[in-house]
Amino acid sequence: MSPTTATILISSLATGTIITASSFHWLMAWIGLEMNTLAIIPLVSKQHHPRATEAATKYFMTQAAASATILFASTMNAWQTGTWDIINSTQPTANTLLTMALAMKLGLAPMHFWLPEVLQGSNMKTAMIIATWQKLAPMALIIQIHNNLSTTILLTMGMISSLMGGWAGLNQTQTRKIMAYSSIAHLGWMAAITTIMPNIMLLNLTFYLLMTTSMFYALILLNSKNIKDMATSWTTSPTTTSMTMLILLSLGGLPPLTGFMPKWLILEELTTQNLTTMATIMAISALLSLFFYLRLSYTSTITLSPNTTTTKHKWRFKQTTNTLLLTTTLPMSTLMLPMTPMLLM
C-alpha cells in the first residue's frame, strides 16, 4: 500500500471517530461510524489473501448491520420524541436496539463471533487498530446515552462477555485470537459498570487501550503469531520478552500492576450496589482469562518449546520497527496502580 493511500485511510479513520465522538445529532454520529468502517476495510483486506478477504467481508457485514440498526433506532426515537439529539434518547425500544447495535460494533457477547475471525485474518497492526481505536466511537456514544440504557441488559451482556472471553480463549494458540478474546472479556467488565459508574468505565477503557496497544506492539516486535513463536521469542529480544510477561500479567489483573486497578474498582462498586453474585461471577471469569495470560507468559519467559533449533540465537538483523509507541505505553500499562487515588479525584 502506497504511503499516500495509507495516510488517506488513517486520516479518514481518525476523522470518523472524532466526528462520532463530538456529534450531538444521531445522523452525524452515524456518518462518523460509516467513515470509520469504510476506511478500515482496505487496511484489513490489503494482504490479497483469502483469509484477509474473508475477514474484511465479515467485518463489513457486521458493522453495516450494526450501523443500520443504529439508524433505525435513532429514527424510531426521533419519531417518538421529536428530537434527533443523542442525549435525549428516551424511547425504551430504541434504547434496547441501540444497546444491541453498539454491542455488535464493540464485539460484546453474544454478538462477538466476528471479532476473533477478523483479527486472525488481519495483520498485527490492523488487528491492533481494530482492538483499540475502533472501540472509541461506540464507547463515546455509550457514554453519552448511558443514563437511558438498561442496567439489566448491560450487566447481563457484561457477565456473558467476561465469561465467554475467558472460556473461549482457553483453547486458542494464535496470539491474535487470544487478544480478541481478551478484548471481549475486558469489554464485558466495562459494560457491567457503564450505567453504575461511567467514570470507572472510562478509566477501564483508558487502561485497556494502553495495555492492548503495548501487548500488540510487543507481538509485532517479537514477530510472534502463535504460542510456539512466543516460546522462542527470547532469542529475538530478551528485554522485550520480559516486558511482554509484565504486560500479560497486567492484562490478567494481577497486583501490583496497572490491570488490577479497574477490576478492583469495578468489583468494589458492584458489591456496594448489592450485586454480590454478579461481582463473584465476574471475579471467577477473570480467573479464566488469567489462565491463558499465565500460559503465554510462562511459555515466553520460563520455558522453551521442546522443538527449538540447536542454534542459540536467531539471526538478529537491525531493528526496523520503531519502538517509541511501546516505550510510551509500557510504563503506564504496568506501573499506574499507586496513582489510583489521584485518578479517582
Side-chain angles (χ1 to χ4, degrees):
M1 188 178 282
S2 72
T4 314
T5 312
T7 307
I8 291 168
L9 290 174
I10 297 292
S11 304
S12 304
L13 202 65
T15 309
T17 304
I18 292 163
I19 287 172
T20 303
S22 58
S23 58
F24 286 94
H25 195 286
W26 272 116
L27 278 179
M28 282 305 291
W30 176 77
I31 287 166
L33 290 170
E34 286 300 303
M35 279 182 70
N36 219 321
T37 303
L38 293 173
I40 204 161
I41 296 293
L43 294 174
V44 176
S45 61
K46 71 178 178 183
Q47 292 177 85
H48 303 296
H49 186 276
R51 189 122 202 192
T53 312
E54 183 189 340
T57 310
K58 283 177 178 173
Y59 188 80
F60 175 74
M61 288 175 76
T62 49
Q63 297 297 310
S67 292
T69 312
I70 287 170
L71 198 58
F72 174 63
S74 54
T75 310
M76 185 189 290
N77 181 69
W79 183 31
Q80 295 287 334
T81 61
T83 176
W84 283 91
D85 290 354
I86 293 174
I87 51 173
N88 290 332
S89 302
T90 50
Q91 218 275 331
T93 314
N95 285 336
T96 306
L97 279 170
L98 281 169
T99 310
M100 294 301 167
L102 292 169
M104 194 189 288
K105 283 251 172 219
L106 288 167
L108 268 173
M111 281 81 80
H112 66 284
F113 297 101
W114 62 271
L115 188 60
E117 297 296 324
V118 170
L119 289 203
Q120 186 57 34
S122 318
N123 64 20
M124 277 288 182
K125 284 183 179 170
T126 311
M128 180 174 75
I129 293 170
I130 293 169
T132 53
W133 184 261
Q134 292 297 85
K135 309 294 181 201
L136 290 175
M139 278 296 184
L141 290 175
I142 286 174
I143 281 289
Q144 287 189 67
I145 60 171
H146 76 270
N147 285 323
N148 303 318
L149 296 180
S150 164
T151 308
T152 313
I153 293 174
L154 282 169
L155 280 171
T156 309
M157 288 171 83
M159 186 172 67
I160 295 169
S161 296
S162 56
L163 283 167
M164 187 61 70
W167 206 271
L170 293 177
N171 205 25
Q172 302 302 325
T173 55
Q174 303 289 325
T175 48
R176 276 166 293 186
K177 279 198 173 178
I178 288 173
M179 290 308 293
Y181 286 112
S182 160
S183 172
I184 292 163
H186 276 91
L187 286 165
W189 283 82
M190 285 179 237
I193 202 69
T194 300
T195 52
I196 302 166
M197 282 282 272
N199 56 339
I200 294 181
M201 189 269 257
L202 279 174
L203 187 71
N204 195 347
L205 177 64
T206 308
F207 288 137
Y208 161 77
L209 294 174
L210 287 168
M211 292 186 290
T212 307
T213 305
S214 47
M215 187 61 216
F216 265 111
Y217 220 76
L219 293 173
I220 291 165
L221 287 174
L222 297 170
N223 198 22
S224 298
K225 292 186 173 65
N226 52 41
I227 293 181
K228 196 172 77 171
D229 292 341
M230 293 291 283
T232 54
S233 60
W234 68 276
T235 58
T236 307
S237 170
T239 318
T240 311
T241 309
S242 308
M243 292 298 105
T244 305
M245 182 190 74
L246 286 177
I247 301 166
L248 282 163
L249 295 178
S250 186
L251 277 165
L254 285 186
L257 301 165
T258 305
F260 176 64
M261 187 205 301
K263 286 187 169 61
W264 167 35
L265 294 172
I266 289 169
L267 288 177
E268 184 188 27
E269 190 57 39
L270 287 173
T271 314
T272 309
Q273 300 287 339
N274 288 327
L275 295 163
T276 320
T277 312
M278 177 79 183
T280 309
I281 294 169
M282 298 287 282
I284 292 167
S285 72
L287 291 176
L288 291 169
S289 299
L290 183 62
F291 177 82
F292 59 76
Y293 294 130
L294 284 173
R295 186 175 61 176
L296 270 181
S297 48
Y298 180 83
T299 316
S300 57
T301 50
I302 303 170
T303 187
L304 278 176
S305 176
N307 56 353
T308 48
T309 54
T310 50
T311 54
K312 266 202 169 173
H313 298 289
K314 291 179 187 176
W315 283 98
R316 287 191 188 173
F317 297 109
K318 192 176 186 308
Q319 184 65 264
T320 52
T321 315
N322 188 0
T323 57
L324 179 64
L325 188 62
L326 184 62
T327 50
T328 312
T329 55
L330 183 64
M332 291 186 281
S333 300
T334 50
L335 303 171
M336 294 285 278
L337 186 64
M339 299 183 73
T340 309
M342 191 186 83
L343 293 167
L344 288 173
M345 292 295 281

